[in-house]
Amino acid sequence: MNYLGHAYLSFGDAGLLTGNMMGDYIKGRKPLEQLPEKVKQGVLLHRKIDLFTDKHPSTARAKALFRPDYRLYSGAFIDSLYDHFLANDPRFFANTEALGAFAARCYTALQDHIAYMPASFAALFPYMKEHNWLYGYRTLKGMERAFKGLVHRAKYLDSSDRAYEIFVRYYYELNQYYFDFIDDIIAYVKRELNDMLPEI
């Protein structure tokens, strides 16, 4: 899952959300020692979510559609696609207003914890907030921008055009893979959080 998925799977805990959303920007264990406990738990949760997602059978089936053109980067496109389908899932976001309000709460929580962000994520955060990335996953145009951003940050990619074509062509098939995945990841994360946040 990408930023929206990691945000949602923090279940409203601001410290956990901060660590969960910046997890890709913290490598190893040593940097974790400088973080508050909840933020540290969020980083560790991010890593568990990524591992679970990558190993899920639905992710493997979805990756197969992208692998001929994008090989090892296929998983990165699937992460964004899961966010798109999550943003449009009425079980979690009843309408555009609900998604917009959720995004605003996330940006506020991140701003309140900006002192704990690594420099790379702190530099990215203003653009995320200005262009409302979390809300942007909802639309096809937003997904096109997300794909282009992925290519911009990737070392060995030069175009996302083919990925967008695959996304549109196999939209309903990919949506079904999301439905086969989402309840499993939510149940998994709640189990992982049970000890640290028993109220969830």
Side-chain angles (χ1 to χ4, degrees):
M1 307 200 80
N2 213 344
Y3 293 113
L4 181 62
H6 284 286
Y8 181 80
L9 291 170
S10 301
F11 298 109
D13 186 286
L16 199 64
L17 179 142
T18 301
N20 206 345
M21 289 191 69
M22 68 186 194
D24 282 335
Y25 299 84
I26 296 181
K27 306 301 180 184
R29 295 196 66 88
K30 189 169 183 179
L32 295 176
E33 299 170 3
Q34 306 169 21
L35 297 175
E37 186 62 23
K38 281 287 185 70
V39 178
K40 179 172 71 174
Q41 290 170 342
V43 174
L44 295 174
L45 180 62
H46 178 107
R47 295 172 183 175
K48 291 180 178 181
I49 290 170
D50 282 357
L51 186 61
F52 182 93
T53 302
D54 193 52
K55 291 185 174 182
H56 196 278
S58 293
T59 303
R61 289 192 286 270
K63 281 182 181 180
L65 298 173
F66 290 83
R67 190 173 290 113
D69 295 282
Y70 292 100
R71 290 186 280 185
L72 292 176
Y73 285 99
S74 59
F77 289 106
I78 303 309
D79 285 343
S80 291
L81 293 178
Y82 281 158
D83 275 16
H84 170 73
F85 294 121
L86 175 64
N88 285 279
D89 191 333
R91 294 179 298 167
F92 308 113
F93 302 106
N95 48 44
T96 56
E97 290 77 14
L99 178 61
F102 176 82
R105 290 194 298 273
C106 290
Y107 301 139
T108 297
L110 289 169
Q111 185 67 48
D112 290 344
H113 289 77
I114 199 166
Y116 305 113
M117 293 179 185
S120 52
F121 187 78
L124 181 79
F125 174 58
Y127 296 96
M128 176 187 291
K129 183 177 180 180
E130 179 183 357
H131 298 287
N132 203 356
W133 289 5
L134 297 180
Y135 183 87
Y137 287 113
R138 185 176 176 94
T139 67
L140 294 181
K141 193 69 177 176
M143 288 302 299
E144 191 173 20
R145 286 194 296 267
F147 280 3
K148 289 182 184 299
L150 191 161
V151 168
H152 178 73
R153 294 186 295 275
K155 189 176 291 187
Y156 300 109
L157 292 180
D158 54 18
S159 174
S160 61
D161 292 347
R162 176 62 181 154
Y164 187 74
E165 290 173 9
I166 296 168
F167 167 51
V168 173
R169 180 178 180 182
Y170 294 100
Y171 187 90
Y172 294 105
E173 186 174 335
L174 290 162
N175 197 9
Q176 186 58 54
Y177 294 150
Y178 158 82
F179 283 124
D180 293 340
F181 163 78
I182 189 64
D183 290 338
D184 290 348
I185 187 66
I186 290 173
Y188 168 76
V189 170
K190 286 187 174 182
R191 289 195 301 270
E192 291 296 314
L193 290 176
N194 188 55
D195 290 338
M196 65 178 78
L197 297 172
E199 71 273 12
I200 287 178

